[in-house]
Amino acid sequence: MSTTDNLEEFPTLIYNPHETLKVQSKNKCAIVTGKYGYFHYGQNGFDDSGWGCAYRSFQSVCSWLELQGYINKNIPSHREIQQCNLRTFADFWSINERNLKHFFKFLFQCLVDIGDKPSNFVGSKKWIGSLELSFCLQNMFNITSKILTSKSGSDLAEHARALIFHFENGGAPVMIGGGQLAHTIIGIDYNPRLGNCQYLVLDPHYTGTDNIDDILAGGGCSWKSATFWSKKDFYNLLVVINGEKICCENKI
């Protein structure tokens, strides 16, 4: 089954919602290139409100990796998901409607298997962050990543140049977690003289329909000022390190 065939199982999934936003920047601006799918709370009838934001951000990142050809995705059966182990993680990615619930359960099991979570974590509704998802990228898909940290949301501008470089060089969406909230950064507008930043953000907490007008009106994809991030919380940014492509890019 090709990537395009599989993603057709999400007939309402919105791709690249940021392309409908106007950018009138006089600063240093860099935005993700390539296709990705926007994943958010409640998609496909799976209720993960209040705890699933990091998983949805992870799915958005994975969709970009898939559509750019960095993941050679196979959709396993229910039995294959149950039998999956660390040696077969690189062949696994389940985000179709048939086994979406098993995706979350499988993700929990991955974290238990690598010793990051206790056994009672499987099947729970506990929040996870950028560090755990970096383990999942490595063990599921053999994708390398790095973590950028900031002691406070007010310090995120310290990574502005790194994010500019990342997106200018074809980098993936960046999952950011802090204060038990996760978002996805897909662009940055940076004024190097003043040190001011704005961030183009996908918000997985959106609970509306997969309609571009509703998504934009509901804040599912928008530019955020530096004040959007909490000054009281520590932040981790999950930055994918692009390796060699293992298949052709797929167009939707």
Side-chain angles (χ1 to χ4, degrees):
M1 179 181 292
S2 71
T3 299
T4 302
D5 290 340
N6 185 73
L7 291 176
E8 285 179 350
E9 296 189 36
F10 298 89
T12 64
L13 187 66
I14 297 296
Y15 297 90
N16 291 33
H18 74 277
E19 291 180 347
T20 60
L21 298 174
K22 294 182 179 180
V23 180
Q24 296 179 336
S25 174
K26 296 181 180 179
N27 302 315
K28 187 70 172 176
C29 185
I31 297 174
V32 69
T33 56
K35 291 281 187 180
Y36 64 87
Y38 169 49
F39 289 84
H40 57 82
Y41 277 172
Q43 221 155 23
N44 291 339
F46 185 84
D47 183 9
D48 55 342
S49 296
W51 61 274
C53 53
Y55 306 94
R56 297 300 188 176
S57 178
F58 182 67
Q59 289 180 322
S60 291
V61 173
C62 287
S63 71
W64 184 92
L65 290 168
E66 175 66 28
L67 291 168
Q68 269 50 246
Y70 290 104
I71 296 174
N72 185 13
K73 179 178 58 179
N74 295 316
I75 302 299
S77 68
H78 183 80
R79 180 179 294 274
E80 289 170 333
I81 294 172
Q82 293 175 334
Q83 295 174 341
C84 189
N85 57 53
L86 288 173
R87 291 190 300 274
T88 60
F89 281 179
D91 296 322
F92 178 84
W93 182 31
S94 59
I95 61 167
N96 62 33
E97 186 173 2
R98 184 183 67 249
N99 55 22
L100 183 64
K101 293 182 180 179
H102 299 295
F103 170 81
F104 290 101
K105 187 172 182 179
F106 179 80
L107 190 56
F108 287 142
Q109 187 62 57
C110 170
L111 296 173
V112 172
D113 290 343
I114 63 178
D116 183 69
K117 296 294 182 184
S119 59
N120 61 4
F121 183 69
V122 176
S124 73
K125 296 182 178 181
K126 294 182 179 179
W127 189 88
I128 61 174
S130 301
L131 185 60
E132 291 94 337
L133 291 176
S134 72
F135 299 154
C136 292
L137 280 174
Q138 181 65 51
N139 287 281
M140 289 180 179
F141 311 120
N142 198 30
I143 295 291
T144 304
S145 61
K146 63 182 178 181
I147 300 291
L148 303 179
T149 63
S150 288
K151 294 181 179 179
S152 166
S154 60
D155 295 330
L156 282 178
E158 65 185 333
H159 301 305
R161 287 183 172 84
L163 290 173
I164 289 284
F165 180 85
H166 175 73
F167 290 125
E168 284 186 339
N169 287 274
V174 174
M175 183 268 184
I176 176 171
Q180 295 196 344
L181 293 175
H183 296 84
T184 312
I185 296 175
I186 56 172
I188 184 169
D189 185 7
Y190 175 56
N191 185 321
R193 184 175 65 86
L194 299 177
N196 296 335
C197 288
Q198 290 196 80
Y199 305 86
L200 184 54
V201 174
L202 297 176
D203 191 344
H205 306 92
Y206 169 77
T207 58
T209 64
D210 287 329
N211 174 280
I212 187 61
D213 293 330
D214 291 341
I215 289 171
L216 297 182
C221 178
S222 62
W223 284 96
K224 306 291 188 183
S225 69
T227 59
F228 175 73
W229 313 108
S230 171
K231 295 181 179 180
K232 299 179 180 179
D233 292 317
F234 185 94
Y235 283 89
N236 283 328
L237 290 81
L238 176 59
V239 181
V240 172
I241 299 174
N242 292 352
E244 293 185 4
K245 295 185 178 183
I246 57 177
C247 55
C248 299
E249 293 185 23
N250 291 276
K251 307 298 182 182
I252 299 296

